Amino acid sequence: MTPCIPPELVTSFIGGAPVKGGPQRLAVYYPATGAQVSELAEADAAEVDRAVAAARRAFADRTWRLMPTEARQTLLLACHDAILAHADELARLECLNLGVSLRELRERHIARAAYNFRFFAEFIGQTRGEVYDQAAGYRTIVVREPVGVAALIAPWNAPTALASMKIAAALAFGNTCVVKPSEQTPLALARLVELLHLAGVPAGVLNLVNGRGPVTGAALVAHPDVDLISFTGGTETGRQIMAEAGRRLKPCTMELGGKSANIVFASADYDRALDAALTSIYSNNGQQCLSGSRILVERSISDRFIADFLDRAARIRIGDPMDDATELGPLASGAHRDRVIGYADIARAEGIEVLLGGAAPANLPDALAGGYFAQPTVAVAPDNARRTTQEEIFGPFATFLRFDSYEEAIEKANGTAFGLVSYLWSDYLPTVERATRDLRSGVVWVNTTMTRELRAPFGGYKDSGVGREGGEACLQFYTEPKTVTTPSTPMSPRRFGLGT
Ligand code: NAD
């Protein structure tokens, strides 16, 4: 392993180079120890304006947006290679401000970031236009063009994996962009932006601003020269951004929160369903929009299933995220850890049994004493109408609900304001067929854990979002159709002013 030293100061990256950084500084912490590992220079509205102006200039200069597709593919593949060549460094930087295990970061997040570039390189090699020649004497073609300057706003729970998806898609279709990561997790993305430039991304095409949402993010969203906004984050933030985008008639996609149901029927493959229930809630330290945080189990198997789940959850190895044996690292910030643990008190107060966890773990090594750790938590709720079963906790907090019939399972699964993902476990085909039809969510994963297929649309129903990401969905979002009509033989316009 190469040692990885985070930069002392993370600044914006505008027009192909890092900027000096203004006076407003924010500390960046290592969640496993609570130690400060870096500092962020927050971009104010003036710096955001410079970033958008750089992106606008790069878009106005036709070189980038008219780059031949095959040249763009070569560039995107060079980005893919650069990420893989620096996978260890990127994973370490990500770990230092996120606390997800190095192993999970290397194997899932950074690998996915590289794949995002390869995917869009391949995708743009296969896109087609449209031709309409049914009208006599005319041929109409529809071509797709980049929209312009994209604002790409990412959350802290999977900074590189999620932001790279937006960057790869925006660039693949010829847009320029300004990326704003979460202020908590700027490290790996700042390095990624440098690496992408070294791989050949032209100056001004990809710009980075860092800072808090209400400061840097709000300035970016409100900037009149931003043409489209891709946002991943919390539902309330999404509402604010979409209201602002609506006022300015800017297209946007919103990938928001979730409270996904993981439905386990008695007809499920029991062992696989158990493994997957644990994975769906405890991977990424429990901080996933798509986590299966409400586990709905058919009553006939529920006592055994909950007991087995508890046994396994209690044995999860909590600890140093740099250690490959660790299964659950710290939460991303102290405030977030307190919020997650606080839900155990909320649960008890609303009559929910908390069978495991609901506290910081004891017996951590001294070196991790200042870290933001929370135990895996398991609760069993009598019904679905509690805060614990309705609100996104975004931590290693599993809540069980029992059900007696198919109808009850579907009613409970659909009974939240969210609709991102549903997990469905049954080996009985008619149940699977019915449930995939009846579940109100953008994604249904049948007999599997998280399996994000980039070719297919990903996104949520209801409060989980608006719009989709994925191959075709990104083509629709990051390009505009242009309709060009030409006569196939010279046409004869009506001759005004000649009296004929
Ligand atoms: P958040 O909404 O607090 O912040 C997300 C990003 O928006 C950050 O970069 C933040 O600085 C910025 N921001 C905040 N306020 C802003 C404003 N007024 N204007 C512009 N930008 C602003 O979310 P978070 O806490 O970073 O992330 C966790 C949330 O993200 C969870 O709700 C989770 O479910 C959701 N999420 C959704 C998906 C998905 O694909 N649906 C994926 C990952 C995370």
Side-chain angles (χ1 to χ4, degrees):
M1 295 273 178
T2 47
C4 173
I5 301 163
E8 272 175 35
L9 182 67
V10 183
T11 65
S12 300
F13 195 99
I14 298 174
V19 305
K20 194 161 156 279
Q24 180 64 48
R25 304 288 161 97
L26 304 168
V28 178
Y29 299 101
Y30 180 35
T33 61
Q36 183 175 340
V37 287
S38 185
E39 201 176 33
L40 179 81
E42 182 167 68
D44 59 10
E47 197 164 300
V48 170
D49 183 53
R50 287 196 288 282
V52 175
R56 173 60 58 197
R57 276 194 302 279
F59 188 72
D61 166 24
R62 296 198 189 89
T63 323
W64 172 250
R65 67 187 158 99
L66 299 185
M67 179 186 256
T69 298
E70 288 181 354
R72 197 183 295 284
Q73 288 181 288
T74 305
L75 174 60
L76 293 170
L77 290 173
C79 293
H80 163 269
D81 294 349
I83 295 171
L84 287 188
H86 293 83
D88 188 54
E89 181 191 356
L90 289 168
R92 280 174 177 271
L93 286 169
E94 193 90 300
C95 183
L96 277 176
N97 58 195
L98 176 59
V100 166
S101 81
L102 202 51
R103 180 174 163 190
E104 198 167 341
L105 291 170
R106 221 188 295 115
E107 291 174 3
R108 285 184 51 221
H109 296 223
I110 306 301
R112 170 57 73 146
Y115 177 70
N116 286 332
F117 283 88
R118 198 183 88 204
F119 173 82
F120 281 105
E122 289 167 358
F123 187 88
I124 58 173
Q126 299 294 329
T127 54
R128 293 179 300 275
E130 299 163 42
V131 180
Y132 300 95
D133 56 6
Q134 293 92 336
Y138 284 93
R139 194 185 61 178
T140 293
I141 63 166
V142 182
V143 293
R144 299 207 70 103
E145 296 191 331
V147 181
V149 176
L152 310 176
I153 302 177
W156 50 258
N157 68 311
T160 306
L162 294 172
S164 62
M165 161 89 188
K166 298 180 191 297
I167 296 169
L171 300 192
F173 297 113
N175 301 276
T176 60
C177 59
V178 180
V179 185
K180 199 211 80 69
S182 165
E183 59 278 22
Q184 287 174 227
T185 53
L187 296 180
L189 261 172
R191 180 68 177 134
L192 180 82
V193 166
E194 279 175 7
L195 290 171
L196 298 181
H197 281 84
L198 293 171
V201 171
V205 164
L206 164 61
N207 304 278
L208 172 77
V209 290
N210 281 298
R212 289 165 291 177
V215 179
T216 313
L220 183 58
V221 167
H223 199 290
D225 222 12
V226 161
D227 296 308
L228 71 170
I229 301 165
S230 173
F231 172 76
T232 300
T235 295
E236 286 317 312
T237 317
R239 273 189 228 287
Q240 289 172 30
I241 294 178
M242 206 164 159
E244 182 64 32
R247 238 168 43 79
R248 295 172 184 277
L249 292 180
K250 303 295 180 202
C252 52
T253 53
M254 295 283 139
E255 297 286 348
L256 308 177
K259 188 75 180 176
S260 296
N262 182 358
I263 313 170
V264 183
F265 286 96
S267 52
D269 177 327
Y270 184 93
D271 291 337
R272 267 189 240 283
L274 179 65
D275 287 344
L278 288 147
T279 307
S280 301
I281 182 65
Y282 295 127
S283 51
N284 218 52
N285 298 349
Q287 305 164 136
Q288 300 191 95
C289 57
L290 42 72
S291 72
S293 52
R294 289 184 306 141
I295 308 175
L296 276 52
V297 190
E298 190 157 357
R299 193 175 301 278
S300 59
I301 59 163
S302 62
D303 287 349
R304 180 180 162 216
F305 196 91
I306 294 170
D308 288 343
F309 185 99
L310 266 174
D311 178 52
R312 294 272 295 277
R315 287 191 283 135
I316 287 175
R317 288 187 300 268
I318 307 172
D320 179 359
M322 299 274 179
D323 178 348
D324 275 357
T326 293
E327 294 174 296
L328 188 70
L331 301 191
S333 71
H336 185 55
R337 189 264 318 269
D338 295 346
R339 181 181 168 278
V340 169
I341 286 179
Y343 267 94
D345 295 331
I346 294 171
R348 288 187 201 99
E350 56 187 5
I352 289 174
E353 266 185 289
V354 178
L355 301 177
L356 180 74
N363 307 326
L364 282 171
D366 286 350
L368 304 180
Y372 315 134
F373 291 88
Q375 287 177 337
T377 300
V378 181
V380 181
D383 61 53
N384 200 26
R386 319 271 156 148
R387 283 185 63 192
T388 313
T389 57
Q390 292 293 315
E391 296 174 9
E392 185 182 42
I393 300 175
F394 216 58
F397 195 120
T399 306
F400 278 92
L401 286 155
R402 294 182 169 91
F403 66 85
D404 289 296
S405 65
Y406 171 85
E407 281 71 22
E408 189 187 348
I410 298 298
E411 191 189 319
K412 283 185 167 155
N414 289 340
T416 76
F418 297 105
L420 190 56
V421 167
S422 308
Y423 300 82
L424 178 59
W425 286 88
S426 170
D427 281 349
Y428 183 56
L429 192 58
T431 297
V432 171
E433 290 292 320
R434 270 179 86 190
T436 51
R437 183 197 63 201
D438 292 341
L439 288 165
R440 300 276 303 148
S441 58
V443 177
V444 180
W445 278 319
V446 182
N447 294 334
T448 181
T449 53
M450 300 145 281
T451 320
R452 189 159 169 188
E453 166 57 85
L454 220 44
R455 294 165 194 84
F458 180 87
Y461 284 15
K462 304 189 277 180
D463 283 3
S464 289
V466 176
R468 296 290 184 270
E469 288 188 335
E472 183 64 27
C474 286
L475 170 71
Q476 298 294 331
F477 180 65
Y478 287 103
T479 65
E480 298 221 67
K482 179 180 276 179
T483 299
V484 181
T485 300
T486 322
S488 34
T489 54
M491 59 88 68
S492 304
R494 196 176 148 196
R495 307 189 79 192
F496 276 88
L498 293 179
T500 54

